[in-house]
Amino acid sequence: MTSALQSLVAQELSVAVPREIRSVARVLAERLGGVAVLFYGSVLRTGALGDILDFYVLTPRARGSLLRRAVLGSLWPDVSYHEIRVGERTIRAKVATMPLSTFERAATGVLLDTTIWIRFAQPSALVWSHSPADQHRTLSAVAEAVKTAGRFAAVLGPRHGRAEDFWKALLRETYRVEFRVEPPGRETQILGHAPERYDRLLPLAWQESGIAFDIRGSSLVPSLGFGECRRLVQAWLTRAAAGKPLNVARLVKAAFTFDGAARYGLWKIERHTGVRVALTPWRERHPLLAAPGVLWRVFHVGGG
């Protein structure tokens, strides 16, 4: 039986997107062996196809050798950059690739990493799936991400307040745990794009998680039992303590496994400075070693 939360998530995931985005999703699924493709990020809201598009490609199993997965870990996605021609337009995409089973586990909050469930408690679109079963699994995982976010918001937020007060508290804490440098008010900006969405989601997430609450005017008052409150607080403290080493490891993995890093970096440089730097085979194979020379050229040509 479909719950009210799952119905809302299904409606959101089926939002209309430009045909170019669905075309790119099919290409990415074929290239990376995906069974489902989620589209998210600022372009979901703006439709600005000239910007970098963000995708999650979910696969039936982890990619790469067993040794590579053991050394670098499969907790976080592999990241890659793609340029895909669609008609007369080149679409640029930054893609995270992860096994669907790992995505499902991360969405429930059982893993120490917070990045998956907080990301997908925010808007996304399911733009391609291999089968109805894969579609259902992805939808259910996104609903679980919302529930996980709601549970932690209940203990990290105020004793009573508007839904946005709980979401703001949660976003601020996840930024701190993930060591993300965000400008002041970033959480307000995120919520401001769809305030009614977050107002609807939080009560549904609490209902699905069995968290009792009262509604007093525009305020929500969650009522957590002592045992449940203690469990959630301890779970969050554990994640906060693990935040720094986990996220350093995630960044190291991304730095050394980012497929297409050189192409992505040179495109960003040209876009922001107007300086075009040629992509040589050596620069593509060794983006970190090439970086000092590229920066010198940008500084010199740009007249800095």
Side-chain angles (χ1 to χ4, degrees):
M1 183 176 179
T2 303
S3 68
L5 176 61
Q6 287 178 319
S7 295
L8 184 57
V9 168
Q11 180 182 354
E12 186 172 85
L13 290 179
S14 63
V15 66
V17 298
R19 62 175 181 80
E20 292 91 342
I21 291 174
R22 295 192 182 276
S23 296
V24 169
R26 287 193 293 270
V27 173
L28 292 173
E30 183 176 351
R31 284 184 182 179
L32 301 171
V35 294
V37 181
L38 287 159
F39 173 57
Y40 68 102
S42 61
V43 181
L44 176 62
R45 183 181 71 257
T46 66
L49 297 180
D51 293 342
I52 294 283
L53 277 59
D54 293 297
F55 293 90
Y56 248 79
V57 174
L58 304 176
T59 62
R61 61 189 65 83
R63 301 167 68 236
S65 67
L66 181 61
L67 177 62
R68 181 176 183 273
R69 297 200 302 270
V71 173
L72 296 173
S74 58
L75 173 59
W76 304 289
D78 292 329
V79 182
S80 55
Y81 170 72
H82 301 258
E83 295 182 353
I84 299 171
R85 195 74 176 169
V86 180
E88 298 300 314
R89 180 190 293 272
T90 297
I91 302 292
R92 295 171 175 84
K94 183 156 65 74
V95 183
T97 305
M98 168 180 276
L100 176 53
S101 58
T102 303
F103 184 80
E104 289 172 314
R105 292 183 65 225
T108 66
V110 298
L111 304 179
L112 290 180
D113 184 68
T114 64
T115 56
I116 297 298
W117 56 258
I118 192 59
R119 170 59 265 174
F120 287 96
Q122 299 170 51
S124 61
L126 180 56
V127 291
W128 184 88
S129 58
H130 178 263
S131 69
D134 296 316
Q135 180 184 36
H136 178 72
R137 287 179 65 187
T138 305
L139 186 159
S140 297
V142 173
E144 286 294 332
V146 175
K147 289 168 57 178
T148 300
R151 288 194 297 273
F152 283 118
V155 295
L156 296 174
R159 291 191 176 184
H160 59 84
R162 296 168 300 173
E164 69 173 285
D165 298 325
F166 290 92
W167 288 115
K168 284 179 181 179
L170 176 66
L171 288 167
R172 284 193 294 265
E173 284 300 308
T174 55
Y175 296 158
R176 185 178 64 83
V177 167
E178 295 170 15
F179 291 87
R180 290 174 55 184
V181 179
E182 296 286 353
R186 174 59 175 159
E187 64 278 6
T188 300
Q189 182 184 21
I190 288 173
L191 299 174
H193 292 309
E196 68 290 340
R197 170 190 185 268
Y198 293 98
D199 288 345
R200 294 176 64 191
L201 274 183
L202 189 59
L204 293 178
W206 284 352
Q207 288 173 2
E208 288 285 301
S209 298
I211 295 176
F213 62 95
D214 292 328
I215 301 176
R216 299 176 186 171
S218 61
S219 290
L220 299 173
V221 187
S223 179
L224 290 165
F226 177 78
E228 179 69 358
C229 184
R230 182 178 179 180
R231 185 186 68 80
L232 286 170
V233 168
Q234 184 58 55
W236 184 257
L237 291 176
T238 301
R239 281 150 184 76
K244 185 172 183 176
L246 276 178
N247 282 278
V248 167
R250 177 174 60 86
L251 292 172
V252 168
K253 176 183 178 180
F256 286 94
T257 64
F258 191 160
D259 184 14
R263 282 175 288 134
Y264 174 71
L266 295 181
W267 178 82
K268 292 282 283 187
I269 287 170
E270 183 177 359
R271 183 176 175 87
H272 288 282
T273 69
V275 177
R276 183 176 180 82
V277 180
L279 176 63
T280 65
W282 190 83
R283 284 173 178 155
E284 187 157 28
R285 288 196 304 271
H286 309 288
L288 295 178
L289 294 176
V294 170
L295 292 175
W296 181 90
R297 175 170 173 76
V298 171
F299 183 82
H300 179 73
V301 172

